[in-house]
Amino acid sequence: MIQDYFYEMVFALPQASMEPPDGRTLVNLPTYFALKWPEEGYEPQEVDTTTLVGQEVRIRPVFQSATYSFGDGESYGPTESPGGSWPDGDVIHTYVKKGTVQPSISVTYGGEVSVEGGDWTNINASVTVDGPPQPLDVLTSRNRLVAD
């Protein structure tokens, strides 16, 4: 019953935060990706409480890994890294062609359960949740010298 409940939980859909911001980057410029959680759904370590067979059961998702799909056929992961922003982020992708891509993140959750306030124990199950694709315009730029 606990595994069934775990599989039916409404998990938070992972979303990508990207730098440069505003849904635009440049060809040959490193783009930094970070995992973020929306308000909807249960994110890692957020507890859902229910009653099963007359007992209080608490279940919390546990982050296991993420796979970053960059929208151009390239991906990174699975990794335990949540990524990060410039200059310290470790999930970085450089686009080589201009166009609009749809990067996304998939997350694999494990779970833990506590019955009647007892210790947390692992649930022998995992769930992979695909986050929504987010449009990203990959642009080109030209430099030119201008005399004063």
Side-chain angles (χ1 to χ4, degrees):
M1 289 175 55
I2 291 171
Q3 280 185 343
D4 290 342
Y5 190 85
F6 174 73
Y7 287 133
E8 293 174 10
M9 284 181 69
V10 178
F11 294 96
L13 298 178
Q15 297 181 353
S17 172
M18 296 169 271
E19 286 185 5
D22 301 326
R24 300 183 335 172
T25 191
L26 292 173
V27 168
N28 297 325
L29 178 72
T31 302
Y32 288 75
F33 288 82
L35 176 59
K36 67 178 184 176
W37 306 105
E39 292 291 322
E40 301 81 28
Y42 289 94
E43 65 183 76
Q45 303 306 316
E46 193 172 13
V47 176
D48 182 12
T49 303
T50 190
T51 301
L52 297 174
V53 193
Q55 296 191 357
E56 180 187 79
V57 176
R58 297 181 300 154
I59 296 177
R60 64 181 178 194
V62 175
F63 174 78
Q64 290 183 334
S65 66
T67 299
Y68 298 79
S69 298
F70 301 117
D72 62 354
E74 299 289 324
S75 62
Y76 176 72
T79 178
E80 294 179 6
S81 175
S85 58
W86 180 87
D88 300 318
D90 62 346
V91 178
I92 305 165
H93 183 66
T94 302
Y95 293 92
V96 296
K97 293 192 301 190
K98 73 177 185 172
T100 299
V101 294
Q102 300 278 326
S104 63
I105 303 175
S106 296
V107 166
T108 299
Y109 290 100
E112 296 177 326
V113 61
S114 169
V115 179
E116 290 293 321
D119 292 338
W120 290 99
T121 58
N122 286 329
I123 298 172
N124 189 22
S126 64
V127 173
T128 299
V129 177
D130 298 327
Q134 297 172 255
L136 176 66
D137 290 325
V138 182
L139 308 170
T140 58
S141 177
R142 294 182 186 217
N143 291 332
R144 61 186 170 127
L145 298 174
V146 177
D148 287 335

